[in-house]
Amino acid sequence: MLIETPLPNDFQHPKNKKRINIAMQGGGAHGAFTWGALDKLLEDGRFEIEGVTGTSAGGMNAVATVQGLLDNGPEGARKTLKKYWELTSEKGKGSIFKPGLLDRMMDKYTMQNSPGFIGFDFMSKLLSPYQWNPFGIDPLKDVIKEMFNFEQIQNNKQHKVFLASTHVFTGKIRIFKTEEIRTETLLATACLPTIHQAVLVDNEYYWDGGFIANPAVYPLIYNCESPDILIIKLNPTHRNRLPITAAEISDRLNEITNNTSILREMRSINFISQLIDEGIADPKKIKRLHMHVIENDSTFQELGWSSKLNTEWDFLSHLFEEGRKTADVWIKKNYDSIGKRGTVDMKDLFV
């Protein structure tokens, strides 16, 4: 995290907008929470987005945000994000992934009692997507092709984009940068290997980036000027009760795995900040980062992995509203700190 680069004296936009970078976690349908948070940030009008990084659904939100900003500024980004999630829901209407009757009776958005999900979960342990989906049909590909103008995104100089994927053969992270954003790289960042066949990009195979970077923060550190990085988290950091069923244990392991990389990066950033504070590192040569997080563990306490496949509009709308409300609270509490200091209590990163 040692970045020896000259730092501009002022990161404020000439119109007094606060310049930030945004990192977005993946989480399937849970990404609608990020959509809501972004919608509130864009509606506020006091933020300028320099760079975005994302994994899986976070990558989709990132690219949709940039596409909309290029089309028509913040209002364009809000409309593009909404269109993406509307299309996602529309494409999912024929899906087998829907809450079961018992789930609905209990007012839950999970699919633990869904015949479709239970059948798929069982089948996925016996057959690979190469067997049950030999033609690699993926409705998400149609959404992507309808949504984005990749030539416009690749050639833009205003907003930097970074998507994380996992290289299948080496297990190493691969960051696709602005000029590499296209259908294949978007599919790669969202490629769950139990559901989709590995995505071929430039003769290499990739899976979802969430296994090793959810999301990757470091591209924003090395490639962007603003020291303010806002992370929008989807996977709960804290759980209120001990997982005891097989599904609960599996869900919690998934959350821990998906949070590991982001916690590791934030600990490294905290270590560098301490070196600066103690006078060991030169703040003129090393960028001091201001870390911020929008999260709401309570929103996801009753949701498990199965709900990440639930694209019904009422569920997406629910998460959207939760994201907006959470971002609204965060803005009111932390806006004045942007550009001056971080708002994350780093002690929370350690047990």
Side-chain angles (χ1 to χ4, degrees):
M1 296 296 175
L2 298 179
I3 307 163
E4 299 195 8
T5 180
L7 302 182
N9 295 323
D10 186 7
F11 291 104
Q12 302 297 331
H13 187 277
K15 296 181 180 179
N16 295 321
K17 287 189 176 184
K18 295 204 172 186
R19 201 177 192 194
I20 60 171
N21 298 301
I22 304 179
M24 309 175 208
Q25 274 197 328
H30 291 187
F33 176 91
T34 300
W35 163 35
L38 289 168
D39 188 77
K40 188 62 186 179
L41 291 166
L42 292 160
E43 180 186 64
D44 183 274
R46 293 178 293 170
F47 298 94
E48 178 191 10
I49 299 174
E50 180 185 4
V52 290
T53 182
T55 298
S56 196
M60 302 297 167
N61 278 321
V63 175
T65 298
V66 170
Q67 178 71 77
L69 287 171
L70 294 174
D71 287 340
N72 192 29
E75 282 305 307
R78 295 179 70 195
K79 290 180 181 178
T80 303
L81 282 159
K82 182 180 181 182
K83 180 181 177 181
Y84 168 78
W85 286 100
E86 286 175 339
L87 279 174
T88 298
S89 181
E90 184 67 29
K91 293 292 183 181
K93 285 185 176 179
S95 169
I96 62 172
F97 300 125
K98 298 182 183 300
L101 179 60
L102 185 57
D103 294 318
R104 296 184 190 279
M105 290 175 62
M106 297 172 66
D107 294 323
K108 290 188 175 181
Y109 296 108
T110 61
M111 294 185 284
Q112 295 297 338
N113 300 289
S114 162
F117 176 77
I118 293 172
F120 171 79
D121 189 47
F122 177 77
M123 182 184 68
S124 66
K125 292 178 172 61
L126 300 175
L127 302 173
S128 79
Y130 295 90
Q131 294 170 302
W132 59 263
N133 186 14
F135 298 107
I137 298 172
D138 186 354
L140 182 59
K141 184 184 294 186
D142 296 330
V143 174
I144 291 171
K145 288 183 176 180
E146 185 172 344
M147 282 294 306
F148 303 120
N149 179 344
F150 291 115
E151 183 177 358
Q152 182 186 28
I153 294 170
Q154 292 168 5
N155 293 327
N156 102 87
K157 304 299 181 184
Q158 299 168 261
H159 312 285
K160 297 175 181 178
V161 188
F162 307 95
L163 304 180
S165 289
T166 304
H167 188 260
V168 177
F169 293 164
T170 64
K172 295 180 180 179
I173 186 174
R174 169 66 192 275
I175 301 296
F176 296 108
K177 298 181 180 181
T178 310
E179 61 273 13
E180 299 173 296
I181 305 304
R182 57 186 190 273
T183 300
E184 291 77 19
T185 52
L186 265 172
L187 289 173
T189 192
C191 178
L192 288 173
T194 57
I195 298 178
H196 307 292
Q197 296 181 19
V199 178
L200 186 65
V201 181
D202 299 330
N203 296 315
E204 299 288 346
Y205 287 99
Y206 295 94
W207 283 338
D208 192 297
F211 299 113
I212 51 177
N214 194 17
V217 174
Y218 73 87
L220 299 176
I221 300 174
Y222 289 109
N223 297 281
C224 297
E225 290 184 342
S226 172
D228 286 88
I229 299 176
L230 170 60
I231 300 170
I232 304 178
K233 284 182 80 279
L234 301 180
N235 293 293
T237 302
H238 303 283
R239 278 287 177 184
N240 296 331
R241 65 174 185 268
L242 181 70
I244 56 176
T245 69
E248 289 173 344
I249 293 170
S250 177
D251 286 345
R252 188 54 182 154
L253 285 172
N254 177 268
E255 291 168 354
I256 292 171
T257 300
N258 278 273
N259 278 335
T260 297
S261 61
I262 191 68
L263 288 173
R264 187 181 297 117
E265 285 199 81
M266 290 182 70
R267 284 172 181 146
S268 297
I269 292 167
N270 182 55
F271 175 68
I272 298 302
S273 297
Q274 289 179 332
L275 292 180
I276 295 174
D277 292 340
E278 294 169 7
I280 298 173
D282 186 350
K284 294 181 179 180
K285 294 183 177 180
I286 300 174
K287 182 192 295 185
R288 175 186 286 280
L289 298 172
H290 306 148
M291 300 302 297
H292 314 276
V293 175
I294 289 179
E295 63 179 333
N296 188 342
D297 282 359
S298 62
T299 297
F300 301 99
Q301 284 295 322
E302 299 303 320
L303 300 178
W305 188 86
S306 65
S307 63
K308 294 181 179 182
L309 301 177
N310 181 1
T311 57
E312 292 192 328
W313 186 246
D314 65 332
F315 179 47
L316 300 182
S317 298
H318 162 71
L319 290 177
F320 169 79
E321 293 299 334
E322 290 298 310
R324 275 185 58 86
K325 288 188 290 185
T326 304
D328 184 49
V329 171
W330 181 86
I331 292 170
K332 290 175 179 176
K333 181 180 179 181
N334 299 300
Y335 178 80
D336 289 341
S337 297
I338 304 297
K340 301 175 182 177
R341 66 187 71 88
T343 57
V344 178
D345 185 352
M346 290 297 187
K347 294 190 296 293
D348 285 345
L349 303 178
F350 307 94
V351 176

